[in-house]
Amino acid sequence: MTVALDQAAQDLLFREAHTAHTFTDEPVTDEQMREVYEMVKFAPTAFNQSPLRVTLVRSAEARARLVQHMSEGNRPKTGTAPLTAILSVDLEFHERLPELLPHAPQLKDTFFAEADTREAHGTFNATLQAGYFILGVRAAGLAAGPMSGFDRDAVDKEFFGDGRQKSLLVVNIGRPGEDAYRPRNPRLPYQDVCTTL
């Protein structure tokens, strides 16, 4: 095999990793989340933009505010996970481009001048960063339970009232609990996905 990662790392990140549905009550610390971010922040995006924002929901009050906007099936696990992250796109991410892309600071006011362009590019790249974030959580030895089942407009109003951020997904984070995983579902084979021209 030509993959640089050893078998254990491949299993941790991909083969043995599942979406977790239950969690223990072991806390997930701010330091753990900082380590995840410090690792995944180097993953590539277009123009080195960094539109992803992570809102860590830890307090009982904030959790209650979030749970009410989750779909019914996602409420129990969101209510009991030790930490939940709302991953969102910052629609004004371009304001930081001069520091993130110092050799082309003009892109802030040229390519990203229009709000529609910023939203399209920001959403795509923040979604890409969300994938990196989930891999970072797994690399930290934690389980992730990403969910798209929630009322986005209500979450945005509840947590991002100024309209600057739009939620993309919600991720429960922690150590897997009892019966955390469902059986692995099939995946498409290589030949159905990859084409050589």
Side-chain angles (χ1 to χ4, degrees):
M1 169 145 299
T2 59
V3 176
L5 288 176
D6 66 26
Q7 191 73 36
Q10 293 175 48
D11 288 344
L12 179 69
L13 296 176
F14 301 104
R15 291 195 189 96
E16 298 300 324
H18 290 253
T19 294
H21 297 278
T22 68
F23 299 88
T24 70
D25 59 4
E26 181 180 334
V28 177
T29 67
D30 289 337
E31 184 56 35
Q32 285 173 296
M33 295 315 299
R34 179 179 297 277
E35 289 176 5
V36 167
Y37 175 73
E38 292 297 333
M39 178 173 42
V40 303
K41 71 180 182 182
F42 294 107
T45 57
F47 301 113
N48 200 36
Q49 59 185 278
S50 295
L52 182 70
R53 299 295 177 264
V54 180
T55 303
L56 298 175
V57 179
R58 188 184 301 282
S59 72
E61 181 269 334
R63 187 173 303 279
R65 289 169 53 207
L66 176 60
V67 167
Q68 67 180 328
H69 303 302
M70 301 302 294
S71 63
E72 185 135 351
N74 289 331
R75 288 177 184 171
K77 53 191 168 187
T78 304
T80 58
L83 183 66
T84 302
I86 304 170
L87 305 188
S88 61
V89 56
D90 179 358
L91 299 175
E92 303 296 330
F93 70 87
H94 70 306
E95 293 176 354
R96 303 295 296 270
L97 276 179
E99 89 186 74
L100 296 173
L101 200 66
H103 64 278
Q106 73 281 0
L107 288 180
K108 171 187 173 288
D109 299 313
T110 55
F111 189 79
F112 292 109
E114 299 295 326
D116 288 348
T117 299
R118 286 197 305 276
E119 183 164 357
H121 284 265
T123 299
F124 175 81
N125 283 279
T127 303
L128 187 64
Q129 288 184 290
Y132 301 143
F133 178 84
I134 292 167
L135 287 175
V137 168
R138 290 175 175 178
L142 298 167
M147 301 167 290
S148 60
F150 63 96
D151 184 334
R152 281 178 176 71
D153 291 338
V155 167
D156 293 349
K157 184 176 179 183
E158 185 78 40
F159 290 91
F160 316 124
D162 63 1
R164 179 175 173 141
Q165 289 174 236
K166 284 191 174 184
S167 54
L168 300 171
L169 71 156
V170 174
V171 183
N172 289 324
I173 302 167
R175 301 280 178 196
E178 188 174 344
D179 299 320
Y181 304 120
R182 297 177 183 153
R184 170 76 76 197
N185 285 312
R187 298 298 192 268
L188 293 174
Y190 176 87
Q191 65 272 14
D192 290 353
V193 175
C194 301
T195 302
T196 301
L197 300 177

